[in-house]
Amino acid sequence: MNSTISKPTIPSPSPSHSSHPSSLFPLISSCKTIRDLTQVHAQFIKTSKVHDPLAAAEILRFCANHRDLEYARQVFDQMRKPNCFSWNTIIRAFADCSADEEAKEAALLFRQMVFAGFVEPNQFTFPSVLKACARTGDFEMGKQIHGLVIKYGLDNDVFVLSNLVRMYVMCGAMVDANYLFQKSLIDFGNVSKVGRDKRRQEGNVVLWNVMVDGYVRIGDFRAARELFDEMPHKSVVSWNGLISGYAQNGLFKEAIELFREMQLGDVSPNYVTLVSVLPAISRLGALELGKWVHLYAEKNKIEINDVLGSALVDMYSKCGSIEKALQVFEKLPKENAITWNAIIGGLAMHGRAKDALYFFSRMQKAGVMPTDVTYIGLLNACSHGGLVEEGRSFFNHMVSVVGLEPRIEHYGCMVDLLGRAGQLEEAEEFILNMPIQKDDVIWKALLGACKMHKNIEIGKRVAEILMDIAPRDSGSYVALSNLYASSGNWEAVSEVRLMMKDMDIRKDPGCSWIELDGVIQEFLVEDDSHHRAKEIHSMLNEISNQLRLVGYSPKTEQVLLNMDEEEKQMNLQHHSEKIAIAFGLISTGPKTPLRIVKNLRICEDCHASIKLISKIYKRKIIVRDRKRFHHFEHGTCSCMDYW
């Protein structure tokens, strides 16, 4: 595969072989399926028409277009002297497949084409073989093909060049990719100056997109954004690529901000845009923007199929509007598990365990086969609802009846289920007997349960394992420190904190978001950076006074720091979700629901005080923490204090 490829002396292909109009063979053009084609093919063999290179090429093209690679390869191997069109057809068919083996086969076919010496590759050959090299990461062969591109004088063809750049990007050679990209700008100039040449303009747009995608792939989002901003012409593909890159890499605010910029420009979002931005909207709980996306899809007649529909169900669920998620779900096609998984997962997140189980029974009655994602939703529902026996039953059903192999996520759900229920010894034993490698997430689930139930013995054991697995992760150190603090062992707390300081390990700060008038406001613990900080602080004091009037005493035992009582109360008062609620109260009219998203698990003091705040101010307050939703109303919470 990596041996040197050199250009042989090859005669130019004859003009008659440059195109193969299917209109010359009405029997082939009338075929709808491979079954139809086999009958025509048999007739061509009987009449010797199959020896006509045009006829053979058309049969090959039909097989390739219908993705029957085995049949296509058999047809190709029987061709006496395949012309360039036929070589390109078979190479492209294998290169367009997602599997590495087929991509390798495309590269091998290209080598055979070059060494056969009958025809020479053209501008339609190289994009396919370069695509194959990109998929397999075959950098050495890619460089050799680059040499051939130059020898054949095709290094000025924008589509060959864009695939060369993509090959270097996919192989991680950004220096080479950037050199070629800059060269293309010098050779072809600014897109706006070559608007009359549509092919060249389209090729330049592709080049820009490939380079932006390359920087996204290596995680250099600053370079990706700078390049994107410099693009002389941004197509919808350009916008979609960067929005998707932001969303898939956890840069949710950036994805939403870019989406807003797109709305203000002259390029309209399409189906891919909506599917790309909805996960970011979901993650930040930006309900108003999510509603806009839904309305935009309906107004512009964008099909809300199972994929987009499931993304909308997920968005409404994660933005706290489970009733709207249910409405969207009922209008969707339900032949695919993806739609059922979205609603079951959404109901689980909202603590509606029995409803999640009911929808699973509907899924079974509809004859839709559950997937591993279905069982993650069911196990989460059982965990949030305290349904231990039901959870065990679903886990066994998944393995014994459906025959699915449990993933680490399923084991994690079971540990969470047992841990929340206080069955810590069984949870630890469950982890130790897992047939797959344990990761830090599953041990963290057990450590969190140890903190919840104040089991220092198991907690210390688990924390030591975590520190060995992920020595730089602050989570295990903080959890162990909190565990010691909950029992008043301040000496042990100091030792853990000193260890963190020596290793320069810092705790992730609490952070909450609230969306008002389509704008996401972010607050950190003890945050006074907001332009309305004085009003927020005043509201926090009012809330504190109102809580005292109804007899509430702050749960200062939740402050796991060695400080006096007054300092602990002030610390609790300035948790990020309380700051977000205070901002919501001063920024909205009476009875307006408040929706808060928090990056950490809500603490007991915040949970108890928000229940009372909902009653005092007659507000529905919906809080999504790291694990689930809490719907506070009339002084109660939907979780029934089990979270």
Side-chain angles (χ1 to χ4, degrees):
M1 183 69 99
N2 291 333
S3 58
T4 304
I5 302 174
S6 58
K7 175 185 173 183
T9 304
I10 308 170
S12 299
S14 62
S16 62
H17 290 177
S18 60
S19 63
H20 304 273
S22 58
S23 59
L24 295 175
F25 304 97
L27 283 176
I28 298 176
S29 60
S30 66
C31 292
K32 302 297 182 186
T33 66
I34 289 291
R35 183 184 178 88
D36 296 337
L37 183 75
T38 55
Q39 297 175 5
V40 174
H41 192 186
Q43 185 177 338
F44 276 26
I45 292 172
K46 286 180 181 178
T47 59
S48 296
K49 195 177 288 186
V50 74
H51 298 308
D52 182 337
L54 293 178
E58 277 304 304
I59 292 171
L60 175 63
R61 183 184 62 81
F62 188 95
C63 297
N65 289 345
H66 284 72
R67 292 288 185 268
D68 192 332
L69 296 186
E70 185 178 352
Y71 194 173
R73 187 59 194 265
Q74 289 175 359
V75 171
F76 180 79
D77 288 342
Q78 291 172 6
M79 298 175 76
R80 293 174 180 174
K81 285 188 177 180
N83 57 27
C84 191
F85 175 86
S86 297
W87 280 106
N88 290 348
T89 301
I90 192 69
I91 291 170
R92 183 173 62 252
F94 278 94
D96 284 347
C97 289
S98 57
D100 284 356
E101 286 305 310
E102 276 73 16
K104 289 177 182 176
E105 187 66 20
L108 194 60
L109 280 162
F110 174 76
R111 287 171 51 81
Q112 292 173 3
M113 176 186 187
V114 172
F115 288 118
F118 298 119
V119 292
E120 61 181 23
N122 61 15
Q123 71 269 32
F124 301 109
T125 316
F126 286 107
S128 295
V129 71
L130 285 166
K131 183 177 181 180
C133 291
R135 175 160 290 141
T136 58
D138 194 339
F139 181 59
E140 290 303 317
M141 185 169 185
K143 285 199 299 183
Q144 294 171 31
I145 291 172
H146 188 180
L148 278 180
V149 167
I150 295 170
K151 287 181 180 179
Y152 282 105
L154 294 172
D155 52 325
N156 284 334
D157 184 284
V158 286
F159 287 108
V160 173
L161 190 56
S162 63
N163 278 278
L164 264 173
V165 172
R166 181 180 283 111
M167 181 276 295
Y168 282 121
V169 164
M170 296 290 283
C171 292
M174 287 303 296
V175 173
D176 297 292
N178 192 54
Y179 169 77
L180 274 179
F181 173 69
Q182 296 299 332
K183 178 180 179 297
S184 75
L185 296 183
I186 295 169
D187 288 349
F188 302 129
N190 191 290
V191 173
S192 62
K193 294 179 181 178
V194 291
R196 63 187 181 279
D197 186 340
K198 187 177 179 182
R199 174 179 164 82
R200 187 175 292 175
Q201 180 172 333
E202 290 174 354
N204 272 278
V205 171
V206 170
L207 275 169
W208 283 92
N209 289 341
V210 168
M211 283 305 297
V212 171
D213 179 62
Y215 284 118
V216 167
R217 284 177 177 275
I218 64 173
D220 190 345
F221 285 94
R222 178 178 293 181
R225 185 56 194 265
E226 287 177 357
L227 203 59
F228 177 81
D229 289 340
E230 292 173 9
M231 289 178 72
H233 175 76
K234 298 179 180 70
S235 66
V236 68
V237 175
S238 313
W239 289 97
N240 291 349
L242 192 53
I243 289 171
S244 177
Y246 277 142
Q248 290 175 14
N249 287 273
L251 300 171
F252 306 115
K253 286 185 71 175
E254 289 82 352
I256 288 175
E257 286 167 5
L258 189 63
F259 178 64
R260 290 192 184 283
E261 284 185 38
M262 183 182 186
Q263 291 172 268
L264 298 173
D266 56 359
V267 178
S268 299
N270 63 7
Y271 172 88
V272 175
T273 318
L274 305 188
V275 172
S276 299
V277 78
L278 277 170
I281 293 171
S282 303
R283 195 62 181 266
L284 294 181
L287 180 61
E288 293 308 312
L289 184 57
K291 287 179 179 177
W292 184 92
V293 167
H294 189 184
L295 186 63
Y296 178 88
E298 291 181 332
K299 279 189 172 181
N300 290 275
K301 294 182 170 48
I302 295 175
E303 182 189 4
I304 300 180
N305 58 10
D306 53 357
V307 176
L308 179 55
S310 299
L312 285 168
V313 170
D314 184 66
M315 179 275 295
Y316 280 118
S317 298
K318 288 179 178 173
C319 290
S321 185
I322 188 64
E323 296 304 327
K324 185 63 177 176
L326 286 163
Q327 290 174 20
V328 174
F329 170 80
E330 294 299 351
K331 295 178 182 177
L332 294 178
K334 300 177 180 64
E335 295 82 14
N336 196 312
I338 186 174
T339 53
W340 294 97
N341 292 347
I343 196 63
I344 290 170
L347 289 164
M349 190 187 305
H350 284 265
R352 294 174 58 167
K354 291 184 179 178
D355 289 335
L357 271 54
Y358 164 70
F359 273 83
F360 178 64
S361 68
R362 278 184 58 185
M363 179 182 184
Q364 289 181 305
K365 288 176 183 176
V368 179
M369 182 65 67
T371 67
D372 55 354
V373 176
T374 313
Y375 286 97
I376 291 173
L378 290 170
L379 292 172
N380 271 326
C382 292
S383 179
H384 295 317
L387 307 176
V388 177
E389 290 308 315
E390 289 87 343
R392 286 197 184 101
S393 176
F394 280 123
F395 188 86
N396 293 331
H397 184 269
M398 175 184 73
V399 177
S400 306
V401 179
V402 182
L404 292 171
E405 192 76 25
R407 294 192 282 135
I408 192 72
E409 292 86 353
H410 299 101
Y411 290 110
C413 288
M414 285 301 296
V415 171
D416 192 58
L417 171 71
L418 297 169
R420 285 176 189 272
Q423 300 179 25
L424 302 177
E425 291 82 5
E426 183 180 349
E428 184 180 25
E429 190 69 22
F430 185 85
I431 295 175
L432 294 173
N433 291 328
M434 281 169 49
I436 62 175
Q437 187 174 352
K438 297 85 177 164
D439 67 358
D440 60 324
V441 176
I442 204 158
W443 286 112
K444 282 178 184 175
L446 180 54
L447 184 57
C450 290
K451 176 181 176 292
M452 186 188 304
H453 296 285
K454 296 181 171 58
N455 190 315
I456 294 176
E457 182 186 348
I458 297 178
K460 185 179 179 182
R461 199 157 58 232
V462 173
E464 288 173 352
I465 293 171
L466 272 168
M467 289 174 190
D468 185 53
I469 295 174
R472 303 294 308 171
D473 189 339
S474 66
S476 53
Y477 297 91
V478 172
L480 181 60
S481 172
N482 292 348
L483 196 57
Y484 283 134
S486 65
S487 63
N489 188 347
W490 298 110
E491 185 179 343
V493 170
S494 297
E495 289 177 5
V496 177
R497 300 271 173 171
L498 185 61
M499 191 188 307
M500 291 177 67
K501 185 177 180 182
D502 291 342
M503 297 176 68
D504 194 27
I505 296 171
R506 300 179 185 180
K507 177 185 176 182
D508 293 332
C511 182
S512 294
W513 299 269
I514 181 171
E515 182 196 30
L516 291 178
D517 299 324
V519 178
I520 297 170
Q521 305 282 345
E522 181 180 49
F523 298 97
L524 299 174
V525 174
E526 300 180 354
D527 195 342
D528 61 357
S529 62
H530 198 273
H531 68 277
R532 298 182 68 185
K534 287 184 178 179
E535 296 172 76
I536 294 170
H537 185 72
S538 178
M539 190 68 215
L540 285 170
N541 287 334
E542 182 193 313
I543 291 171
S544 183
N545 292 333
Q546 289 292 332
L547 288 172
R548 284 196 194 94
L549 289 174
V550 295
Y552 181 75
S553 297
K555 296 180 181 296
T556 53
E557 69 274 11
Q558 292 296 301
V559 182
L560 304 176
L561 296 170
N562 196 7
M563 56 176 62
D564 64 37
E565 197 69 13
E566 186 177 345
E567 287 178 305
K568 287 184 177 182
Q569 289 187 21
M570 286 300 293
N571 181 284
L572 289 172
Q573 183 177 313
H574 290 85
H575 278 192
S576 64
E577 57 266 57
K578 287 179 181 169
I579 298 174
I581 288 170
F583 174 75
L585 289 172
I586 65 173
S587 304
T588 60
K591 298 185 179 181
T592 304
L594 302 179
R595 290 181 170 82
I596 314 295
V597 176
K598 181 176 171 61
N599 67 331
L600 303 175
R601 181 180 180 272
I602 191 170
C603 76
E604 288 183 32
D605 178 76
C606 284
H607 193 271
S609 58
I610 295 172
K611 283 197 292 185
L612 290 173
I613 292 168
S614 73
K615 185 176 183 180
I616 293 167
Y617 291 93
K618 296 180 174 59
R619 297 287 190 113
K620 183 172 185 178
I621 303 173
I622 303 165
V623 178
R624 188 186 92 198
D625 70 6
R626 187 172 59 188
K627 287 287 187 180
R628 59 166 298 157
F629 271 94
H630 301 265
H631 294 255
F632 299 95
E633 194 170 16
H634 308 307
T636 63
C637 180
S638 60
C639 75
M640 305 300 290
D641 298 339
Y642 187 87
W643 83 96

